Amino acid sequence: MYMRFFSRLYSAMAGPRPVVLSGPSGAGKSTLLKKLIKEYDSVFGFSVSHTTRNPRPGEVNGKDYHYVTREAMQMGIDNGDFIENAEFSGNMYGTSKAAVQDVQAKNLICILDIDMQGVKNIKKTDLNPIYISIQPPSMDILEKRLRDRKTESEESLQKRLHIARVDMEISKEPGLFDTVIINDDLEEAYGQLKQALLVEITKVKNVNMSS
Ligand SMILES: Nc1ncnc2c1ncn2[C@@H]1O[C@H](COP(=O)(O)OP(=O)(O)OP(=O)(O)O)[C@@H](O)[C@H]1O
Ligand SMILES: Nc1nc2c(ncn2[C@@H]2O[C@H](COP(=O)(O)O)[C@@H](O)[C@H]2O)c(=O)[nH]1
């Protein structure tokens, strides 16, 4: 208990608490976090993950992800360069220590967009983030959003929907997330996200004003 108290105290002194956004593929995590970073570019910074999946049209290497080969990613994991990593729908994903440090060095709130395995693994670290789950209003709407996004093959879409069903059950575990947001109306969901982060946003703004 004391260890956890001092770990949290140290994290508070070290800078603002990071934020983990998780939820099924297609629930709207990227849409919401992009809105947040656009409105609060001097408050939030995105933790750029590594992945072995191919870039989608419009995605930029180093901005959306660091696109790497399996060999390079495995080497990084073996070197201890990653806080967490996971296999998702046939590809590897991971948060490097450098990705988080780059954002924290700018005194920004670091946002991680990670899957459920990532959430479970981050819980074993001393990162002490705020955990937010973004959920779709229904499986039918999730499927429609994923299809309309036109980024997935039928096989990848089915894999993602299967993972979504499993993860939506797991996410009901009490205490796993600090806040659960149903992303039905986008503006409403965005308002709830800002509300959930208001304390941390205010802290960073106050620090920036006084420096
Ligand atoms: N509230 C909403 N209403 C309607 N469409 C939405 C809403 N939120 C997001 N979308 C759309 O749904 C699709 C999926 O959203 P997005 O890519 O942000 O999901 P994601 O959770 O980041 O998915 P992934 O985990 O696969 O990256 C996008 O085409 C986005 O424009
Ligand atoms: N555990 C981790 N999960 C990650 C990371 N980066 C992204 N993700 C999750 O992967 C799926 C699929 O993403 P997509 O961009 O291929 O649609 C999604 O749930 C992301 O949240 C990571 O570094 N670690």
Side-chain angles (χ1 to χ4, degrees):
M1 192 177 141
Y2 285 114
M3 285 297 284
R4 182 170 290 190
F5 172 76
F6 283 114
S7 160
R8 294 219 162 139
L9 183 67
Y10 174 77
S11 299
M13 286 159 58
R17 280 178 79 189
V19 175
V20 160
L21 279 195
S22 194
S25 170
K29 304 178 296 294
S30 321
T31 307
L32 286 164
L33 80 79
K34 278 178 186 159
K35 267 173 90 68
L36 197 65
I37 292 175
K38 193 171 171 202
E39 183 173 350
Y40 297 100
D41 63 342
S42 59
V43 174
F44 292 99
F46 179 53
S47 158
V48 182
S49 293
H50 283 61
T51 184
T52 61
R53 83 151 163 76
N54 291 325
R56 294 174 184 148
E59 287 186 342
V60 177
N61 190 21
K63 186 166 173 269
D64 296 286
Y65 280 107
H66 298 288
Y67 300 94
V68 290
T69 60
R70 272 193 172 264
E71 292 69 30
M73 181 107 188
Q74 193 56 56
M75 206 182 290
I77 294 166
D78 295 343
N79 276 345
D81 297 343
F82 285 83
I83 301 175
E84 62 79 31
N85 64 278
E87 183 89 24
F88 180 94
S89 189
N91 288 297
M92 294 168 83
Y93 295 82
T95 307
S96 70
K97 292 175 182 169
V100 174
Q101 281 160 6
D102 284 354
V103 176
Q104 291 187 328
K106 294 178 202 150
N107 219 18
L108 298 175
I109 299 175
C110 181
I111 310 187
L112 286 72
D113 173 346
I114 57 174
D115 80 331
M116 187 62 82
Q117 302 164 77
V119 168
K120 297 264 177 176
N121 287 329
I122 290 287
K123 293 234 169 198
K124 296 176 200 152
T125 72
D126 63 359
L127 195 68
N128 187 30
I130 297 168
Y131 293 93
I132 299 182
S133 171
I134 307 296
Q135 297 284 319
S138 69
M139 279 306 294
D140 284 351
I141 292 178
L142 183 72
E143 179 168 352
K144 181 171 178 346
R145 284 185 190 165
L146 270 180
R147 287 194 185 280
D148 288 352
R149 194 172 72 180
K150 295 184 166 56
T151 53
E152 310 308 314
S153 64
E154 187 58 31
E155 188 193 354
S156 161
L157 191 122
Q158 292 303 334
K159 275 190 195 165
R160 283 168 187 252
L161 290 176
H162 173 71
I163 298 168
R165 280 190 200 95
V166 174
D167 286 357
M168 282 165 74
E169 279 307 309
I170 298 175
S171 69
K172 291 177 187 160
E173 195 180 297
L176 190 57
F177 291 98
D178 297 301
T179 304
V180 176
I181 296 171
I182 311 289
N183 178 22
D184 189 353
D185 176 80
L186 183 62
E187 289 311 317
E188 220 171 274
Y190 182 56
Q192 289 174 25
L193 180 61
K194 285 200 285 188
Q195 188 59 39
L197 299 174
L198 197 61
V199 170
E200 295 300 313
I201 292 172
T202 308
K203 269 192 220 164
V204 173
K205 280 188 167 172
N206 287 344
V207 168
N208 290 349
M209 264 168 36
S210 61
S211 60

